[in-house]
Every structure is written in structure tokens, then in C-alpha cells.
Amino acid sequence: MRGTFKLLAVAAAAASAVGAAQAQGIEFTGYFRTGVGSSDEGSKQVCFSAPSAGAKYRLGNECETYGELALALPFGKKDGGAWAKYNTMIATIEKNAANTFESVNGGKYDIASRQNYFEGGGFFGEGALRNAKVWVGKRYYNRHDVHINDYYYWTNSGLGGGIEDIAIGASTKLAFAYHQKGDDTAANDTLNALNTRRISARIYDVPVNPNGTFETELVVLDGESAGEPYKTNPDATQTLVGTGEGVALFLQHKQTGILGGYNKFAFIYGQDAGAGGDPTGRDAADVKGKEFRLIEQLFIAPEGSNWSGQGVVGYQRFKPDGGDKLTWFTIGVRPQYNFSDNFSLAVELGHDRTKVDGGGTANLTKFTIAPQLALARGFWSRPVFRAFVTYAKWNDELVAAHVRADSDGKLPFEGVYGDKGGSGVTYGLQVEAWW
């Protein structure tokens, strides 16, 4: 009986805590997608991607169950005085899951911490800092993406702290951030582990023309270890050639009011550890070289029309010091037509082309048709239930490049289509939602 009373007390305390949090306005947001499919070869669904490409066109081409669950707990009141908010996000992913019980020990199911930070504001009174926010922790920071191929062409996320929304004039804002990332490969060697620090300055919401704004962010990276120089790893099990130093620059113009949508044009430059449009210090020890990216994306949803859609064109070139130049070109479009408030048809056509100097050009073209059911009309309406059929075509060089890029020499598309160029068809069902 004593144990029963203890359990009841704990349950009552938990219910009270949840009720108090809800009274303060707790926020619950998230993202989820899952599906089931097969291929014309009789296998489970496989997904088509080009080697060394930064993304793949995703409609009818996502093979995992993925979800993000986020909670935000506010303190104080935003509309009067100082306030703070705790934010946390957990992600779950299942790959090739076939059972109703998938253990995290089975290799098919994983849980990850994506965000965990505090933010606050209302500390500074009037003036430029009136609406400024401070933050400390691990968070998504200044991420920019193309939805149809899930391509995050710029992100400065990670563990750090900073201040943002400092007013400059009527609408322009300024932000400063500090991030750092330790070398995961040297987890058992703290003395010689590389600690890469990132200092960034960002100016955004700059009005430059009617309905047009400009944004830029400059990131400077600096790596250092507490022990001997990082190049002289004492266990000599790997050759560490980098220093974690570099620079990254992001420039973007956004134009709204175009056929009910927007246009974004971005230029990204990176050098050494800042190469790749992702200045997070990832693999910074091995990066030496220069890279640039050009991204043009357009979204339209004309008022009074049943049509909507998104398109993208992108080009990336990376030239490592003493290595072969890598280029990636991508172009794709996803138009959608709504027959009614709840029924639509989406079609996606995407092409990726990658090439390493001295080798051939890898080509992949993917086409998907997907009838959809949603709660409301529009490109962004979620949740959406889809049936899909996907056709893909690739050349011999794409297979060879996949094998070269994979340390285990694995064939693309899980080997379902052999070791030569060819084509394939997948089909299935999917649901996608965000809230």
C-alpha cells in the first residue's frame, strides 16, 4: 500500500506540473513523416540520390520514418517586462523498420537531441536593444533551405550563445553569435582534441527595393587544442592536416509579392573549415580549400488560382588544396494543382549532376507523380496524405562514383539495381505533417 500511495503522489505532482506549464502557455511543435513502399524489382522502397550532391529531390523519395518533437516553456510575459523561454527538441528516426517494436539497440531506430537552449528578452529597456533577445545553448541558428529537396544551403547551428534582433533603423536588425564544436574523433583525447570556435555577425531584414530585403552573415572560425599542435596526433592512427580555421560568408536577397510567393537568390563562399555552406566545424580538421554556392529558388501561389509550386537551380564548386575540383549542379521543380480544398496532384522533376576532375559526370534524373489529400488547399497545407510513383534514371558513372565515395564500396540504391547505369521505379504511400 505504501508503494501505491507513493506512485499516486508522484502522479499527482506530475499532473500538477503539466497543468502549471499549460497555464503559462507551453508550446508544442513538431514535424513528422513516414511511409511504406516497394520497387519494381520487388524490394522494399529505395531512394535515389547522386554521389557528393548536397541533397536529393524528396517527393516520393524518402525512405525513413523521421520526427521532431519540440517543447517551449515560457517564463514571465513577453508583453510586459523581462521574459525567458526554455526550448528543447528531440528527433527520432527509423530506417527500414519492419516491426512494431524497434529497439534503439537494433540499429534501425535512433533518438537524437537536436535543440536544447534558453532565450530571453525585455532586459534592456528602450532604444536599439528594446526587442533584442539573448540565448545560450544548442539551437537551430539562421538556417535557410529549399523545401523540395530538403537542401539546407546555409546553417550556423550548434552549441553557443548570442544576441539577436538588435534594431538598426526602422526594420534592419543585427545579431552576433558565438559557437564552438569539439572534435568528435578525438573524444578520448581531450588534450589534443580540436576545439573550433565560430564568431559570426549577421545583418538582416535590410530593405533594398520595394518588397525586397537583404541578409548577410560572416563567420570566422578558429581552431585550437590544449596539447601539442593538432597536426601531431600522438597515437599516429590518423593524419590530421587541418587547423579548424577558416571563413564563411552568406549573402541573400529575398523578393516577395511575386505571383503570391517569393524569390530567393543566395551566394555562399567558404574557405578551409568554412567551406561547404555549413560553418559548424564539421570535419574541420580535414578541410582545406575554397568553395562557393549559388542558389536560386522561386515559390508561387497566384491568388485565385489552383496552381502553386516551387522550383530551384543550384551550383556548387569545391576546390580542395592539392585535390580534384568537385562540382554539383541541380535543377528541379514541384508544381501542384488543387482540384478541390482537399484533393491535389503534385508532380516533381529533379536532375542532379556531379563531377570530380579526372572522372566522368554522374547524372541522376528523378520524376514523381503524387495524388494528395489534405485538410486545406495550398502547397504548404499539412498534414498531407500521399500515394506516389517515382521513376529514376542514372548513368554508369553515377554507380562508379557512389562506390568510390563509400568507404565500404557499396552500390547505390542498396544494390537493388545492380552495378550499371539504368532506371528504376518505386511506389508507395506517405504522410507528412508539421505543427
Side-chain angles (χ1 to χ4, degrees):
M1 286 295 292
R2 184 176 300 175
T4 301
F5 283 124
K6 285 184 178 180
L7 288 174
L8 289 173
V10 170
S16 176
V18 171
Q22 289 176 340
Q24 294 182 50
I26 192 170
E27 302 169 18
F28 176 59
T29 58
Y31 172 83
F32 178 77
R33 68 170 180 262
T34 189
V36 61
S38 186
S39 76
D40 59 338
E41 290 292 324
S43 72
K44 63 182 181 301
Q45 182 191 356
V46 295
C47 286
F48 306 101
S49 62
S52 302
K56 61 181 173 62
Y57 290 91
R58 59 192 297 196
L59 185 66
N61 200 33
E62 293 174 305
C63 294
E64 71 285 325
T65 293
Y66 180 77
E68 292 178 341
L69 300 176
L71 290 173
L73 179 63
F75 297 81
K77 296 182 178 180
K78 260 192 170 184
D79 56 355
W83 60 272
K85 182 185 291 186
Y86 171 64
N87 301 272
T88 185
M89 176 186 285
I90 299 296
T92 64
I93 185 169
E94 291 184 70
K95 294 184 177 180
N96 302 322
N99 301 309
T100 56
F101 182 87
E102 294 289 356
S103 169
V104 293
N105 297 321
K108 293 182 179 179
Y109 180 66
D110 203 0
I111 301 175
S113 168
R114 299 303 305 268
Q115 299 192 82
N116 202 12
Y117 70 99
F118 253 99
E119 62 180 328
F123 301 115
F124 307 108
E126 300 298 318
L129 297 176
R130 178 180 179 180
N131 295 316
K133 297 184 292 186
V134 296
W135 63 272
V136 178
K138 178 175 66 176
R139 64 172 290 194
Y140 293 162
Y141 185 81
N142 199 25
R143 303 200 312 166
H144 296 267
D145 74 307
V146 180
H147 174 73
I148 61 174
N149 60 353
D150 207 20
Y151 178 33
Y152 284 86
Y153 53 91
W154 177 264
T155 175
N156 192 16
S157 302
L159 180 65
I163 184 171
E164 57 190 358
D165 292 346
I166 302 172
I168 305 177
S171 61
T172 302
K173 300 180 181 67
L174 177 66
F176 298 97
Y178 169 84
H179 291 84
Q180 69 179 37
K181 183 181 186 300
D183 179 15
D184 297 332
T185 65
N188 297 320
D189 184 8
T190 305
L191 187 65
N192 285 279
L194 182 68
N195 180 36
T196 300
R197 296 178 287 265
R198 310 194 308 271
I199 299 175
S200 68
R202 178 164 60 108
I203 300 175
Y204 51 106
D205 293 343
V206 182
V208 291
N209 63 288
N211 298 321
T213 57
F214 174 75
E215 176 179 353
T216 182
E217 183 175 17
L218 175 66
V219 182
V220 177
L221 300 92
D222 176 66
E224 193 174 16
S225 63
E228 295 296 321
Y230 189 63
K231 295 179 182 179
T232 59
N233 187 21
D235 63 13
T237 59
Q238 55 181 322
T239 303
L240 304 175
V241 297
T243 61
E245 298 178 350
V247 64
L249 176 66
F250 168 71
L251 305 169
Q252 179 169 272
H253 178 267
K254 179 178 180 180
Q255 187 71 40
T256 59
I258 300 177
L259 295 175
Y262 60 81
N263 178 82
K264 293 181 181 180
F265 176 73
F267 170 79
I268 299 103
Y269 171 81
Q271 180 174 329
D272 297 338
D278 183 8
T280 59
R282 182 180 60 203
D283 300 327
D286 301 318
V287 176
K288 278 289 188 180
K290 297 179 176 65
E291 180 171 9
F292 76 86
R293 293 180 179 185
L294 294 170
I295 304 295
E296 167 72 22
Q297 63 170 306
L298 173 68
F299 168 71
I300 61 171
E303 185 176 357
S305 171
N306 293 323
W307 287 98
S308 57
Q310 186 178 53
V312 61
V313 179
Y315 180 80
Q316 170 186 308
R317 187 181 73 182
F318 174 57
K319 179 62 174 70
D321 292 352
D324 294 324
K325 179 177 65 178
L326 168 67
T327 59
W328 169 41
F329 170 77
T330 186
I331 183 169
V333 62
R334 185 196 295 184
Q336 176 177 313
Y337 184 84
N338 270 86
F339 294 94
S340 68
D341 289 344
N342 305 118
F343 178 65
S344 65
L345 183 69
V347 176
E348 184 176 271
L349 176 63
H351 176 76
D352 288 302
R353 180 184 303 165
T354 61
K355 178 178 174 59
V356 177
D357 279 1
T361 299
N363 290 304
L364 172 68
T365 300
K366 191 225 73 164
F367 174 78
T368 299
I369 183 168
Q372 304 181 136
L373 296 173
L375 303 187
R377 65 173 57 230
F379 190 86
W380 306 109
S381 179
R382 301 293 186 277
V384 60
F385 300 85
R386 301 178 174 123
F388 65 84
V389 177
T390 293
Y391 170 81
K393 183 176 178 59
W394 58 94
N395 63 353
D396 289 347
E397 177 56 30
L398 182 132
V399 178
H402 260 298
V403 173
R404 288 195 300 267
D406 194 299
S407 59
D408 297 325
K410 293 181 180 178
L411 294 170
F413 324 139
E414 303 187 29
V416 170
Y417 293 100
D419 59 356
K420 300 294 182 182
S423 62
V425 175
T426 61
Y427 50 90
L429 304 171
Q430 189 201 46
V431 63
E432 182 183 40
W434 52 66
W435 61 92

